[in-house]
């Protein structure tokens, strides 16, 4: 009896396996299983798939063309004009047909895009279908894990793709301003936010990069030095080669990009420029944080959109931050939060514990003055200062648990009014008038009262000084005594797409090194041209106290 039961079970198992294999083979060819079953198969991803791609040209002189998509048939337009709005007569866009995987039916004739290429000549292999403007697509009736689920357009021969799961295709469409196809395969990937820790020696090195001024395309060099290099200069490739060289030399643990990464006037597609500045850090697995300057949002993306895009990238520490203030129209009439985007902080943890060792504060200094009676640049708003004070106070008890002294640094783009202070101790070059806002909202005092010893800005490219600002104490302090003081530094401009000049200014970056056991902060600069090594190396904080330099 027992043998008969065992034999029956074996026969049933073999029969089940044969039927499963047969069903699997039939499904590969005819897709006989229902969609609900496919969701359970590991080779399939639930969601939306791309069923076709089509570049479409339209414009004033093409009366039978349409710039809109047939949404009823699942078509959506990628809102990036191949001509970057530089043509008076024509526009061209990539249109993408999407379908929920649950509604996909090979029996009904549905096909899914599994690859796409751009070029004049038909790619090798079978199954390629020709579309307009040099696009080729390959489709099939079987859903697979690496089916195409998204498509986008970037611009220029130097475009890069840094998003996880995306692939930038070679070549460009044969119309417009070198538009490039990039596709996503499989389900969208959410990049994990990195954790930054002190090194084993309890030190931390930060590179501050400011004013990259990257374009859509290679960009145009301004004030290249030495002058003999100007003729062959391409702004973005030269700028990024400089950054990569310093990254490889200095090997920082963390990067802070302090505004004007994107040169809005020459970057009509901001995403192309964003991906270019992010690639050197992502490629080297260096966590990076960003704030915005006054030029970043002068292209096609709002401040919040740029911060959200940057925050989504691998190794990014950037955050959109809290919503502060009301929506107000900017000088282009676009609604922007009065408190800006990118007000946030970063906790650098101890080497082995999860106690905070260093806190980096990053605040949006906005762009141009909203007050027609006050020309110049905008200022940090009172509710941003309130957010800083309240957040700093809420972290105080946790910061006291670190085995060494907890240290804070702040980063902004537009300098504070106190950067104009003459006669204060200073290290570095003051080559141009600081273009700080005329209105002083008091952020300098808020930093000092919170115990922050260092703030560093960008914006004024040819200034690279660190200035120690110590002011007379207010009520409660002893008469004639100065407060704890604040080192106010500039990073210096790094990008050839922004201005230089001022007597042969060489692009540069600033480095910071925090030494926790000594409660010390040191800083220096590195130049793009020459073999100067570390420039103006100085200690700004020792034993948790600002250091007055010898004059």
């Amino acid at each position: 009896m027992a043998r008969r039961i065992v034999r029956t079970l074996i026969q049933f198992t073999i029969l089940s396996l044969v039927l499963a294999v047969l069903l699997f083979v039939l499904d590969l060819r005819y897709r006989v299983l229902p969609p609900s079953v496919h969701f359970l198969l590991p080779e399939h991803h639930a969601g939306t798939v791309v069923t076709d791609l089509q570049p479409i040209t339209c414009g004033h002189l093409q009366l039978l063309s349409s710039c809109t998509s047939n949404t009823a048939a699942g078509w959506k337009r990628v809102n990036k004009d191949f001509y970057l709005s530089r043509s008076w007569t024509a526009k061209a866009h990539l249109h993408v047909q999407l379908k929920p995987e649950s509604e996909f039916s090979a029996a009904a004739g549905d096909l899914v895009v599994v690859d796409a290429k751009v070029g004049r000549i038909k790619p090798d292999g079978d199954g390629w279908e020709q579309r307009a403007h040099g696009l080729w697509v390959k489709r099939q009736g079987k859903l697979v894990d690496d089916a195409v689920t998204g498509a986008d357009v970037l611009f220029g021969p130097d475009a890069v793709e840094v998003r996880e799961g995306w692939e930038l295709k070679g070549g460009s469409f044969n119309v417009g301003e070198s538009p490039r196809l990039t596709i996503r395969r499989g389900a969208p990937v959410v990049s994990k936010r990195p954790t930054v820790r002190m090194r084993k020696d309890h030190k931390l090195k930060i590179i501050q990069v400011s004013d990259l001024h990257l374009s859509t395309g290679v960009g145009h060099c301004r004030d290249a030095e030495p002058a003999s290099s100007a003729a062959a200069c391409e702004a973005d490739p030269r700028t990024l080669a400089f950054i990569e060289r310093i990254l490889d030399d200095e090997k920082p643990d963390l990067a802070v990009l302090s505004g004007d990464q994107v040169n809005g006037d020459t970057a009509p597609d901001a995403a192309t420029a964003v991906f270019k500045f992010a690639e050197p850090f992502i490629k080297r697995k260096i966590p990076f944080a960003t704030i915005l300057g006054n030029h970043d949002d002068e292209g096609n993306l709002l401040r919040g959109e740029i911060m959200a895009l940057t925050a989504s990238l691998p190794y990014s520490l950037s955050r959109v931050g809290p919503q502060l203030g009301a929506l107000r129209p900017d000088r282009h009439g676009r609604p922007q939060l009065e408190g800006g985007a990118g007000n946030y902080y970063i906790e650098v943890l101890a080497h082995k514990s999860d106690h905070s060792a260093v806190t980096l504060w990053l605040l949006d200094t906005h762009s141009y003055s909203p007050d027609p009676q006050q020309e110049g640049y905008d200022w940090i708003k009172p509710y941003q200062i309130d957010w800083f004070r309240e957040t700093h106070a809420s972290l105080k008890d946790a910061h006291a648990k670190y085995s060494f002294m907890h240290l804070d640094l702040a980063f902004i783009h537009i300098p504070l009014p106190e950067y104009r202070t003459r006669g204060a101790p200073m290290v570095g070059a003051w080559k141009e008038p600081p273009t700080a806002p005329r209105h002083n909202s008091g952020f300098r005092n808020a930093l000092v009262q919170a115990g922050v010893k260092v703030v560093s800005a960008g914006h004024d490219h040819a200034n690279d000084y660190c200035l120690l600002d110590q002011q007379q104490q207010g009520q409660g302090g002893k008469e004639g005594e100065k407060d704890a003081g604040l080192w106010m530094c500039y990073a210096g401009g790094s990008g050839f797409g922004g201005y230089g000049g001022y007597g042969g200014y060489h692009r540069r970056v600033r480095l910071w090194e925090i030494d926790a056991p000594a409660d010390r902060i040191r800083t220096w600069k590195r130049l793009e041209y020459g073999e100067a090594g570390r420039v103006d190396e100085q200690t700004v904080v020792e034993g948790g106290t600002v250091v007055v330099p010898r004059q």
Side-chain angles (χ1 to χ4, degrees):
M1 184 68 179
R3 290 181 179 178
R4 185 179 302 171
I5 293 173
V6 171
R7 186 168 59 249
T8 302
L9 288 173
I10 293 173
Q11 292 172 341
F12 178 77
T13 301
I14 294 173
L15 179 61
S16 298
L17 289 172
V18 171
L19 289 174
V21 171
L22 179 62
L23 191 60
F24 177 74
V25 173
L26 288 173
D27 185 65
L28 283 176
R29 187 172 182 84
Y30 301 108
R31 194 170 175 80
V32 297
L33 294 175
S36 58
V37 173
H38 286 95
F39 288 159
L40 302 177
L41 297 178
E43 67 174 329
H44 295 147
H45 54 84
T48 302
V49 293
V50 174
T51 55
D52 206 352
L53 297 168
Q54 182 68 270
I56 298 177
T57 301
C58 60
H60 304 297
L61 301 182
Q62 302 182 43
L63 301 180
L64 300 180
S65 68
S66 173
C67 294
T68 60
S69 293
N70 183 0
T71 55
W75 286 93
K76 291 187 177 181
R77 189 181 79 179
V78 177
N79 286 318
K80 296 185 179 183
D81 177 16
F82 285 10
Y83 294 92
L84 293 172
S85 300
R86 292 170 179 165
S87 171
W88 289 89
T89 59
K91 292 184 177 182
H93 297 89
L94 178 66
H95 293 249
V96 183
Q97 190 177 39
L98 301 166
K99 193 157 197 171
E101 187 175 348
S102 59
E103 299 175 10
F104 186 92
S105 172
D110 288 341
L111 298 173
V112 62
V113 176
V114 293
D115 202 1
K117 294 187 177 182
V118 179
R120 293 184 299 105
I121 302 173
K122 181 180 179 181
D124 293 336
D126 298 328
W128 289 100
E129 304 172 39
Q130 189 172 14
R131 300 289 184 265
H133 303 316
L135 176 64
W136 300 84
V137 298
K138 180 181 285 190
R139 302 190 295 167
Q140 66 180 38
K142 171 67 177 175
L143 285 179
V144 290
D145 189 50
D146 61 349
V148 176
T149 58
D152 197 0
V153 177
L154 300 174
F155 293 85
D158 61 335
V160 294
E161 179 59 87
V162 295
R163 293 172 291 185
E164 292 187 79
W166 288 80
E167 174 191 356
L168 180 65
K169 293 296 182 175
S172 60
F173 295 104
N174 58 21
V175 295
E177 302 287 333
S178 298
R180 309 267 308 270
L181 174 68
T182 179
I183 60 173
R184 183 185 65 212
R185 299 180 184 276
V189 178
V190 178
S191 296
K192 184 180 178 182
R193 184 179 171 89
T195 299
V196 184
R197 292 185 179 276
M198 303 295 282
R199 299 197 305 255
K200 188 176 181 180
D201 59 0
H202 306 292
K203 292 182 179 181
L204 178 80
K205 184 186 285 189
I206 301 170
I207 184 170
Q208 181 187 358
V209 180
S210 198
D211 295 273
L212 285 163
H213 285 272
L214 300 182
S215 299
T216 301
V218 297
H220 172 70
C221 280
R222 298 177 61 185
D223 305 317
E225 286 293 337
S228 59
S229 68
C233 184
E234 292 181 325
D236 292 5
R238 182 169 173 179
T239 297
L240 294 171
F242 162 47
I243 300 302
E244 292 192 288
R245 174 171 62 84
I246 301 302
L247 292 178
D248 292 338
D249 284 352
E250 295 282 355
K251 295 180 173 52
D253 306 297
L254 169 66
V256 173
L257 286 73
S258 51
D260 281 357
Q261 288 79 244
V262 179
N263 193 54
D265 287 345
T266 61
D269 182 57
T272 295
V274 169
F275 295 167
K276 286 198 293 186
F277 79 64
E279 191 206 27
F281 307 100
I282 294 172
K283 186 165 61 176
R284 292 165 177 78
K285 300 181 180 180
I286 300 172
F288 65 98
T290 62
I291 49 178
L292 299 175
N294 52 296
H295 289 295
D296 290 285
D297 64 335
E298 292 178 336
N300 64 321
L301 295 180
L302 299 175
R303 300 180 82 78
E305 292 171 332
I306 295 174
M307 288 303 298
L309 176 62
T310 308
S312 71
L313 300 179
Y315 294 97
S316 175
L317 296 164
S318 300
R319 290 188 184 275
V320 177
Q323 293 190 2
L324 300 174
L327 283 172
R328 305 286 187 195
D330 63 12
R331 65 177 186 155
H332 301 292
R334 305 174 302 177
Q336 306 256 30
L337 280 170
E338 197 174 21
N343 300 290
Y344 63 108
Y345 66 93
I346 296 167
E347 298 281 38
V348 178
L349 304 182
H351 177 64
K352 288 189 175 180
S353 76
D354 287 338
H355 294 146
S356 173
V358 176
T359 302
L360 308 181
W361 299 92
L362 301 100
L363 283 88
D364 187 359
T365 52
H366 319 294
S367 54
Y368 303 96
S369 171
D371 185 351
Q373 304 301 318
Q374 299 219 41
E375 296 181 354
Y377 292 95
D378 206 346
W379 50 88
I380 294 176
K381 301 298 188 292
Y383 32 79
Q384 291 177 272
I385 298 175
D386 290 342
W387 167 82
F388 167 74
R389 291 184 190 273
E390 293 165 5
T391 307
H392 186 276
S394 71
L395 299 172
K396 191 172 182 179
D397 290 343
H399 290 172
K401 296 177 181 178
Y402 183 46
S403 54
F404 302 109
M405 181 180 289
H406 181 277
L407 296 171
D408 297 79
L409 294 85
F411 294 92
I412 54 178
H413 179 69
I414 297 173
L416 301 176
E418 289 82 2
Y419 273 69
R420 298 192 187 101
T421 304
R422 285 288 189 180
M426 189 182 77
V427 176
W430 180 325
K431 289 194 171 187
E432 58 177 309
T435 53
R438 294 186 178 184
H439 176 71
N440 193 333
S441 59
F443 187 52
R444 179 265 180 207
N445 290 342
L447 290 171
V448 173
Q449 290 162 12
V452 180
K453 303 297 190 297
V454 175
V455 61
S456 196
H459 191 57
D460 298 323
H461 302 183
N463 288 341
D464 71 352
Y465 60 80
C466 281
L467 180 148
L468 178 57
D469 182 55
Q470 292 181 300
Q471 299 183 6
Q472 299 294 326
Q473 293 195 29
Q475 289 184 339
K478 294 181 180 179
E479 186 176 350
E481 265 194 11
K482 293 183 177 181
D483 60 21
L486 179 69
W487 274 106
M488 300 184 300
C489 298
Y490 278 109
S494 64
F496 285 85
Y499 71 85
Y502 289 93
Y505 176 82
H506 291 292
R507 271 64 176 188
R508 60 201 61 203
V509 296
R510 181 172 287 279
L511 280 298
W512 298 91
E513 185 178 71
I514 294 97
D515 185 338
D519 303 325
R520 179 188 300 134
I521 302 176
R522 292 183 60 76
T523 186
W524 61 92
K525 292 158 291 189
R526 295 290 304 273
L527 275 56
E528 189 267 346
Y529 182 78
E531 301 294 334
R534 295 184 176 187
V535 175
D536 292 333
E537 186 170 5
Q538 65 177 121
T539 299
V540 291
V541 175
E542 182 81 43
T545 303
V546 297
V547 175
V548 180
R550 296 178 180 177
Q551 296 298 308

